[in-house]
């Protein structure tokens, strides 16, 4: 990739330099062809030898135009000046021919101009502009390639989706294919084969979402089907430091896991939502419950010590709920909301109280 970028940069630099030189040279030629006929006519009329006079004028022009300033169209200069290395005015005869764009007629005799120039480039400016153009070109290629890939994938998905519709004539099959194709990176052929399985066809929309999550977590088709068919359940396995949600094993960091378990335990025991402690009065009783739980399952000593010495604080609860939310959303996406927390403001204290969203779920602790 680096070599390709360097090659593009060199080509851009070369093309930019040639274009700048050609543009400046063409402008000079056009100016000369506009002015020279008028300037040379008087001299040629008074000369005895026209070609000799043309040679004299040519030498004078080379001396006068040895270095020519260049008007730059761009806001940054690419050429400092042009150096005229050769300029020759010639009478056109049958034995020679020249570029018709550099000719004019004097007294029925065609006069031609031959000119060569060399550019004094602003190399730093050319390097900067070339670098910018290379970057723009490179980015546009990446965007174009990505767009072509997406279009190709979309056509492939549509083709296989239509094939499923034609073969099975079932809208549910098409819906399953579209849902999975939009949320996984599996190839279309593999998705087509999955959607044609009888067990997949029988899944409800909600089960398809769980099936998709399991597939995205690298489970086999059979294991993903098992997860999809599981009831809404939350199981804690503190020994192995994980929770099992809807049959899907999710590993959590130790401390957030214990707080998650503690909230779940309150739901199982039918306790009311927990009101965050006030800033100046940590909850010592709940802190002892949590520290014992952490000690039993080898939690972090600092977290245990903070609870034993400083009590349970609202800030600590907020931090761990946020960590639980982040970890579950990373695995479950939008479905994580069904396994997180419900909050409400307490009217008397204006503080928030929280409980685990346990509606319709089986919780095992």
């Amino acid at each position: 990739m680096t070599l390709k970028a360097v090659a593009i940069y060199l080509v851009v630099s070369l093309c930019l330099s040639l274009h700048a030189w050609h543009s400046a040279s063409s402008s000079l030629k056009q100016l000369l062809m506009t002015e020279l006929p008028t300037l040379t006519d008087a001299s040629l009329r008074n000369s005895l030898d026209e070609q000799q006079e043309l040679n004299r004028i040519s030498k004078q022009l080379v001396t006068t135009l040895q270095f020519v300033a260049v008007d730059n169209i761009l806001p940054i200069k690419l050429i400092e000046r042009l150096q005229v290395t050769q300029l020759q005015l010639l009478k056109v005869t049958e034995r020679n021919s020249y570029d018709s764009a550099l000719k004019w007629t004097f007294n029925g005799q065609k006069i031609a101009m031959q000119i060569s120039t060399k550019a004094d480039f602003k190399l730093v400016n050319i390097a900067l502009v070339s670098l910018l153009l290379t970057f723009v070109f490179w980015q546009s290629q990446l965007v174009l390639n990505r767009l072509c890939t997406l279009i190709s994938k979309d056509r492939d998905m549509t083709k296989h989706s239509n094939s499923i519709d034609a073969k099975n004539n079932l809208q549910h099959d098409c819906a399953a294919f579209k849902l999975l194709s939009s949320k996984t990176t599996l190839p279309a052929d593999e998705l087509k084969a999955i959607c044609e399985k009888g067990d997949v066809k029988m899944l409800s929309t909600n089960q398809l979402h769980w099936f998709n999550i399991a597939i995205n977590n690298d489970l086999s088709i059979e294991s993903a089907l098992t997860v999809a068919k599981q009831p809404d359940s939350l199981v804690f396995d503190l020994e192995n430091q994980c929770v099992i949600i809807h049959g899907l094993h999710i590993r959590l960091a130790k401390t957030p896991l214990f707080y998650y378990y503690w909230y779940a335990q309150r739901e199982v025991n039918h306790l009311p939502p927990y009101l965050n402690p006030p800033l100046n009065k940590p909850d010592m009783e709940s802190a002892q419950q949590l520290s014992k739980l952490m000690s039993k399952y080898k939690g972090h000593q600092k977290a245990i010590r903070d609870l034993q010495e400083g009590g349970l604080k609202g800030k600590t609860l907020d931090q761990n709920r946020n960590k639980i939310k982040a970890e579950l959303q990373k695995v479950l996406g939008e479905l994580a909301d069904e396994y997180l927390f419900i909050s409400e403001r307490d009217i008397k204290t204006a503080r928030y109280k929280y409980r685990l969203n346990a509606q319709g779920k089986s919780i095992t602790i």
Side-chain angles (χ1 to χ4, degrees), residues 143-175:
V143 172
L144 183 61
N145 291 340
R146 177 60 177 165
L147 183 61
C148 290
T149 301
L150 291 175
I151 292 173
S152 176
K153 182 179 179 181
D154 182 65
R155 288 177 178 174
D156 200 17
M157 295 295 185
T158 303
K159 178 181 176 182
H160 287 293
S161 180
N162 292 337
S163 174
I164 293 174
D165 286 340
K167 181 176 180 180
N168 300 290
N169 195 27
L170 291 174
Q171 292 183 353
H172 183 73
D173 293 344
C174 183

Side-chain angles (χ1 to χ4, degrees), residues 210-235:
W210 283 103
F211 179 77
N212 171 71
I213 287 172
I215 290 291
N216 286 340
N217 280 276
D218 299 325
L219 269 66
S220 66
I221 302 301
E222 290 73 19
S223 297
L225 281 168
T226 300
V227 169
K229 295 176 182 179
Q230 288 291 314
D232 288 334
S233 58
L234 176 59
V235 180

Side-chain angles (χ1 to χ4, degrees), residues 67-101:
F67 295 105
V68 181
V70 176
D71 292 330
N72 290 273
I73 300 176
L74 296 174
I76 184 172
K77 274 190 174 184
L78 299 182
I79 294 179
E80 183 65 45
R81 60 187 180 179
L82 277 179
Q83 181 180 354
V84 178
T85 57
Q86 178 187 359
L87 192 151
Q88 183 66 51
L89 300 177
L90 299 166
K91 293 171 65 176
V92 178
T93 65
E94 294 181 355
R95 295 180 181 180
N96 56 36
S97 61
Y98 303 101
D99 188 345
S100 59

